[in-house]
Amino acid sequence: MKITVKGKQYDSGKMLFDKYDVYTKARNELAEKVLFNSEDINLMIDTLVFIFDDKFTAKDIKSEMDISDIIFNFSSIDIEISGKVNNKALKASEGFTKGKKFKR
């Protein structure tokens, strides 16, 4: 996953279990909310900082990033993971059907 903070683009690297664990706990806490308060936004920010291995600070995000961008970047984590899983599944299925002709 990539994010731009203070004009610099960062890559989160692999989504290892510890990162995913922190993210899912935050996501589950926020899942039922329709509107977010400042504590919720702080949780999203802290989670993003953790996922990106402290390459930037919460203060960096707060001083530059629009609230909608914070929420979008946090929410994009599940979308990114789902996309990667889907791509792997497609590649795996292509391996099973490579060179085979099917009758219709």
Side-chain angles (χ1 to χ4, degrees):
M1 180 173 166
K2 297 190 185 320
I3 191 172
T4 302
V5 178
K6 292 196 153 201
K8 185 174 177 186
Q9 189 175 63
Y10 298 93
D11 190 316
S12 64
K14 290 183 179 182
M15 180 60 77
L16 300 175
F17 178 82
D18 288 345
K19 289 181 181 182
Y20 189 69
D21 189 45
V22 167
Y23 166 69
T24 56
K25 286 176 182 170
R27 182 198 61 204
N28 292 346
E29 186 175 324
L30 299 169
E32 300 299 320
K33 301 211 174 192
V34 176
L35 299 173
F36 301 112
N37 61 32
S38 60
E39 287 178 14
D40 300 333
I41 299 299
N42 278 319
L43 178 58
M44 289 181 203
I45 291 169
D46 291 342
T47 302
L48 287 169
V49 169
F50 181 79
I51 286 176
F52 284 87
D53 300 316
D54 297 308
K55 294 175 184 169
F56 48 83
T57 66
K59 186 177 178 180
D60 292 335
I61 291 177
K62 290 176 183 179
S63 69
E64 176 198 300
M65 200 175 283
D66 187 77
I67 294 296
S68 64
D69 292 328
I70 294 168
I71 295 168
F72 176 78
N73 281 295
F74 180 82
S75 301
S76 293
I77 296 169
D78 271 335
I79 295 166
E80 176 97 7
I81 292 168
S82 295
K84 286 181 178 181
V85 169
N86 190 45
N87 287 339
K88 288 178 186 216
L90 286 172
K91 285 182 182 179
S93 68
E94 288 171 2
F96 286 111
T97 60
K98 192 171 189 173
K100 295 180 182 177
K101 295 182 182 180
F102 296 98
K103 293 181 183 179
R104 291 185 183 205

